[in-house]
Each structure stands twice: as C-alpha cells, then as structure tokens.
Amino acid sequence: MRQPENPFWPKKSILNPEPPKTTFVPVRRVKRALTREEQKIVDAEAVNHFKIPIPILMEHAGLAVVEICEYMAGATTTQIHIFAGKGNNGGDAYVAARLLYSRGYVVTIWDCFTMHAHSGVVYGLREAAMTLGVPVRPAEEFDPYSLRSGVSRMIDEKISGLPCMIIDGIIGTGYEFARPLPAHLRLITNKIAEARDRGARVLSIDIPTGVDANTGEVDSRAVSADCTVTFILPKEGMLMDRGREYSGIIRVFPIGLPIDFADRALRNRTL
C-alpha cells in the first residue's frame, strides 16, 4: 500500500503537503462619498451595465428604511407618516409604506405632488401600496397640531410614547441650492418641522429634502432629520457644513450591491 493511501498516514505532512491556497485579497472601496453627478452615473451603470432593475434597487432601499424606522418607532402602535415625492426618492417611500403596513403599522402616505401625474416605476409602486390598503392623501392636509404623545414606555413597554414617525421621501439628490424649494413644498416641510418640535422623529431617505448633495448648503425650509438612511455611499453634502447637521445620524446601506460598487461603476464609465 502506498503511503498516501494508508488511512493512518497523516493527510498533511512534509511528504504530502497541502496544496497552496489562493491569496485572500480584501475588497476595499476608494470612494467615501458621492456627488449628485456621480450618483446618477452609479444608478445608470447599475441598470444598463450590471443589469439590476430599478424596482429591485428600490425594494432594497425601502427595506433599509423600514429596518431603521422600526428601531426608531419602538412599537407598532407608533403611527407612521410618509411624505412621498414623484421621483426615485418617492418610489423608495412607497415601498417603505407598503412594507411597514404589511408589518402591522398604521401608515399614511402624504403625496407631495398631487398635481403631478405619476408614471413609470413610481406609479406602479404607488398603486401597489394603495391596492394593499395604505391611504394616500394630499400632503397639504397634514396637520401637525393634531399629534398627541402616547403612553410612556415606563407604563407600557409595548407603546413607544412618540406622537409619530415621519419619513421624508420628498426630494433626494435632485435638489440644488441654486433652485429654492417650491412654495408648496416649503409649506409641507414647515409642517414636518412643527411635528418634530412636537416630539415626532424624522427619518430622511438618502438625503434630507432641501440639502444640496454637492455643497452641503441647505434651503431655509429644509427638513432637519434625526436620522438619514442613505444608499451605496453617503452624499458629499451630508458630510460638510450644515448638511451634516441636518442629516442627523447617518446610516449607509449597500441595497444588495458590493461595498465597492461605486468604484466599479465609476471606473467602468471611464473605460
């Protein structure tokens, strides 16, 4: 019997060494933040080159928002008010609304663009939420003065004590400081600010409405968030000047993509 076939012969020895292992190379990302233009390139590359449909990315984004929202809400008795725009930010908001409603939360969607005819992916996500039973109302009807605090958690740990959770999905990286928020959106963000003053917690999607993703400059009626859930990488404006203050706690989610996806997408565009 040859030694390698001997069951008592050690599997690893000087005469029978283990084959060499492939060298482990950790995945590292170079980019630490994205500008507005870079975010557009990354989104386009995800769809066109890497063949990842926008609805899948939005589902992952909405799920990330739900994860943080549940933690901040503290209990399913906390009402959730979701302000949805007409773009991708609004699409993420509609996904989050549907998922939170499915998990037993009392959810209301406040449409910030009732005068706008929704289309494409956002229209489909909006219809899915409405068909499931999530009420959609004009954002102008939101009344922050009607909010009341719940029973303290010292009395009942199943009740959070918050008046409500507010999710800001109005405008994401598309806002530019050179173009102030429209008057009707300023009225809505004023109501969100009043609700926050009355104890509501505010969670922004990707970047707070009214914060410039490139410069960190903020509109005079920008949304001030307690927490911002951003995707792939933070935006440049969230890390500088008043943009950092308005973003609150920043949580980054890869939405199902590799951690170096932004580097790969930007490098692929330059090739």
Side-chain angles (χ1 to χ4, degrees), residues 38-202:
E38 288 173 336
Q39 181 66 60
K40 290 181 180 179
I41 292 173
V42 170
D43 290 343
E45 286 297 297
V47 175
N48 300 326
H49 181 78
F50 294 95
K51 308 303 180 184
I52 306 171
I54 282 290
I56 290 180
L57 295 175
M58 285 187 174
E59 284 292 325
H60 280 281
L63 190 58
V65 173
V66 169
E67 182 177 324
I68 298 299
C69 180
E70 285 194 301
Y71 177 80
M72 294 177 66
T76 55
T77 53
T78 302
Q79 293 191 4
I80 312 293
H81 296 281
I82 300 179
F83 290 80
K86 61 182 179 180
N88 288 353
N89 213 242
D92 300 339
Y94 286 117
V95 171
R98 172 170 50 79
L99 295 176
L100 285 166
Y101 181 84
S102 300
R103 297 186 183 191
Y105 288 86
V106 178
V107 180
T108 303
I109 298 173
W110 300 94
D111 189 348
C112 300
F113 290 90
T114 52
M115 75 297 292
H116 178 82
H118 296 278
S119 60
V121 176
V122 178
Y123 173 79
L125 296 173
R126 186 177 189 270
E127 289 296 305
M130 292 177 61
T131 304
L132 197 63
V134 184
V136 179
R137 299 174 59 184
E140 292 78 9
E141 296 180 2
F142 177 72
D143 181 14
Y145 300 100
S146 65
L147 301 178
R148 296 291 184 271
S149 295
V151 178
S152 171
R153 298 195 75 178
M154 295 178 64
I155 300 174
D156 187 346
E157 64 177 10
K158 294 183 179 180
I159 299 178
S160 69
L162 293 177
C164 69
M165 274 292 304
I166 289 179
I167 296 179
D168 158 35
I170 306 174
I171 297 179
T173 57
Y175 169 78
E176 296 181 36
F177 184 72
R179 297 181 298 172
L181 290 174
H184 83 281
L185 289 185
R186 289 188 165 204
L187 292 175
I188 295 169
T189 56
N190 278 346
K191 292 184 177 185
I192 293 176
E194 180 61 35
R196 187 168 184 255
D197 290 341
R198 298 175 70 84
R201 289 181 181 173
V202 178

Side-chain angles (χ1 to χ4, degrees), residues 265-271:
L266 295 173
R267 184 170 58 247
N268 183 71
R269 175 57 69 92
T270 58
L271 294 178

